Short mmCIF file of all heavy atoms in Angstrom, two decimals:
data_model
loop_
_atom_site.label_atom_id
_atom_site.label_comp_id
_atom_site.label_asym_id
_atom_site.label_seq_id
_atom_site.Cartn_x
_atom_site.Cartn_y
_atom_site.Cartn_z
N ALA A 130 -2.29 -8.68 -21.53
CA ALA A 130 -2.31 -7.43 -22.28
C ALA A 130 -3.76 -7.02 -22.50
O ALA A 130 -4.65 -7.86 -22.58
CB ALA A 130 -1.60 -7.59 -23.61
N LYS A 131 -3.98 -5.72 -22.61
CA LYS A 131 -5.31 -5.19 -22.87
C LYS A 131 -5.43 -4.95 -24.37
O LYS A 131 -4.53 -4.39 -25.01
CB LYS A 131 -5.52 -3.88 -22.12
CG LYS A 131 -6.91 -3.33 -22.25
CD LYS A 131 -7.09 -2.12 -21.37
CE LYS A 131 -8.51 -1.62 -21.50
NZ LYS A 131 -8.75 -0.46 -20.63
N THR A 132 -6.54 -5.37 -24.95
CA THR A 132 -6.77 -5.22 -26.39
C THR A 132 -7.18 -3.79 -26.70
O THR A 132 -8.09 -3.24 -26.10
CB THR A 132 -7.87 -6.19 -26.86
OG1 THR A 132 -7.50 -7.52 -26.49
CG2 THR A 132 -8.08 -6.11 -28.35
N LEU A 133 -6.45 -3.17 -27.66
CA LEU A 133 -6.72 -1.80 -28.08
C LEU A 133 -7.52 -1.75 -29.38
O LEU A 133 -8.27 -0.80 -29.60
CB LEU A 133 -5.41 -1.03 -28.26
CG LEU A 133 -4.49 -0.97 -27.03
CD1 LEU A 133 -3.18 -0.28 -27.38
CD2 LEU A 133 -5.18 -0.28 -25.88
N LYS A 134 -7.32 -2.75 -30.24
CA LYS A 134 -8.05 -2.86 -31.51
C LYS A 134 -8.54 -4.30 -31.64
O LYS A 134 -7.82 -5.23 -31.29
CB LYS A 134 -7.13 -2.57 -32.71
CG LYS A 134 -6.71 -1.13 -32.85
CD LYS A 134 -6.10 -0.80 -34.21
CE LYS A 134 -4.85 -1.56 -34.55
NZ LYS A 134 -4.17 -1.05 -35.76
N ALA A 135 -9.76 -4.48 -32.13
CA ALA A 135 -10.30 -5.83 -32.30
C ALA A 135 -9.46 -6.60 -33.32
O ALA A 135 -9.02 -6.04 -34.32
CB ALA A 135 -11.75 -5.75 -32.75
N TYR A 145 -10.78 -11.20 -30.32
CA TYR A 145 -10.63 -10.30 -29.18
C TYR A 145 -11.23 -8.95 -29.55
O TYR A 145 -10.95 -8.41 -30.61
CB TYR A 145 -9.15 -10.13 -28.81
CG TYR A 145 -8.54 -11.41 -28.30
CD1 TYR A 145 -7.92 -12.30 -29.17
CD2 TYR A 145 -8.59 -11.74 -26.96
CE1 TYR A 145 -7.37 -13.48 -28.71
CE2 TYR A 145 -8.04 -12.92 -26.49
CZ TYR A 145 -7.44 -13.79 -27.38
OH TYR A 145 -6.90 -14.96 -26.91
N ASN A 146 -12.06 -8.41 -28.66
CA ASN A 146 -12.67 -7.10 -28.85
C ASN A 146 -11.90 -6.07 -28.02
O ASN A 146 -11.15 -6.42 -27.10
CB ASN A 146 -14.14 -7.12 -28.41
CG ASN A 146 -14.98 -7.97 -29.33
OD1 ASN A 146 -14.88 -7.86 -30.54
ND2 ASN A 146 -15.81 -8.82 -28.74
N VAL A 147 -12.13 -4.80 -28.31
CA VAL A 147 -11.49 -3.72 -27.56
C VAL A 147 -11.83 -3.88 -26.08
O VAL A 147 -12.98 -4.09 -25.71
CB VAL A 147 -11.97 -2.35 -28.08
CG1 VAL A 147 -11.41 -1.23 -27.22
CG2 VAL A 147 -11.57 -2.17 -29.53
N GLY A 148 -10.80 -3.82 -25.23
CA GLY A 148 -10.98 -3.94 -23.79
C GLY A 148 -10.81 -5.35 -23.26
O GLY A 148 -10.70 -5.54 -22.05
N ASP A 149 -10.79 -6.36 -24.14
CA ASP A 149 -10.57 -7.74 -23.70
C ASP A 149 -9.14 -7.91 -23.19
O ASP A 149 -8.25 -7.14 -23.53
CB ASP A 149 -10.80 -8.73 -24.84
CG ASP A 149 -12.27 -8.90 -25.20
OD1 ASP A 149 -13.13 -8.43 -24.44
OD2 ASP A 149 -12.54 -9.50 -26.26
N ILE A 150 -8.93 -8.95 -22.40
CA ILE A 150 -7.60 -9.30 -21.92
C ILE A 150 -7.04 -10.42 -22.79
O ILE A 150 -7.69 -11.45 -22.97
CB ILE A 150 -7.63 -9.74 -20.45
CG1 ILE A 150 -8.17 -8.62 -19.56
CG2 ILE A 150 -6.24 -10.17 -19.98
CD1 ILE A 150 -7.35 -7.35 -19.55
N TYR A 151 -5.86 -10.19 -23.34
CA TYR A 151 -5.17 -11.17 -24.18
C TYR A 151 -4.02 -11.75 -23.35
O TYR A 151 -3.26 -11.00 -22.74
CB TYR A 151 -4.63 -10.49 -25.45
CG TYR A 151 -3.81 -11.40 -26.32
CD1 TYR A 151 -4.41 -12.28 -27.20
CD2 TYR A 151 -2.42 -11.36 -26.29
CE1 TYR A 151 -3.65 -13.11 -28.02
CE2 TYR A 151 -1.65 -12.19 -27.11
CZ TYR A 151 -2.28 -13.06 -27.96
OH TYR A 151 -1.53 -13.88 -28.76
N TYR A 167 -2.33 -3.45 -31.59
CA TYR A 167 -3.48 -4.27 -31.21
C TYR A 167 -3.62 -4.43 -29.70
O TYR A 167 -4.73 -4.59 -29.19
CB TYR A 167 -3.40 -5.65 -31.86
CG TYR A 167 -3.59 -5.60 -33.34
CD1 TYR A 167 -2.51 -5.60 -34.20
CD2 TYR A 167 -4.87 -5.52 -33.89
CE1 TYR A 167 -2.68 -5.54 -35.57
CE2 TYR A 167 -5.05 -5.44 -35.26
CZ TYR A 167 -3.96 -5.45 -36.10
OH TYR A 167 -4.14 -5.37 -37.45
N ILE A 171 0.05 -5.28 -19.93
CA ILE A 171 -0.26 -4.86 -18.57
C ILE A 171 0.88 -5.32 -17.67
O ILE A 171 1.24 -6.49 -17.69
CB ILE A 171 -1.59 -5.49 -18.09
CG1 ILE A 171 -2.73 -5.09 -19.01
CG2 ILE A 171 -1.88 -5.08 -16.66
CD1 ILE A 171 -4.01 -5.84 -18.73
#
Side-chain angles (χ1 to χ4, degrees):
K131 185 174 181 178
T132 304
L133 302 175
K134 290 194 299 189
Y145 294 90
N146 292 313
V147 174
D149 287 348
I150 300 298
Y151 175 81
Y167 291 98
I171 301 171

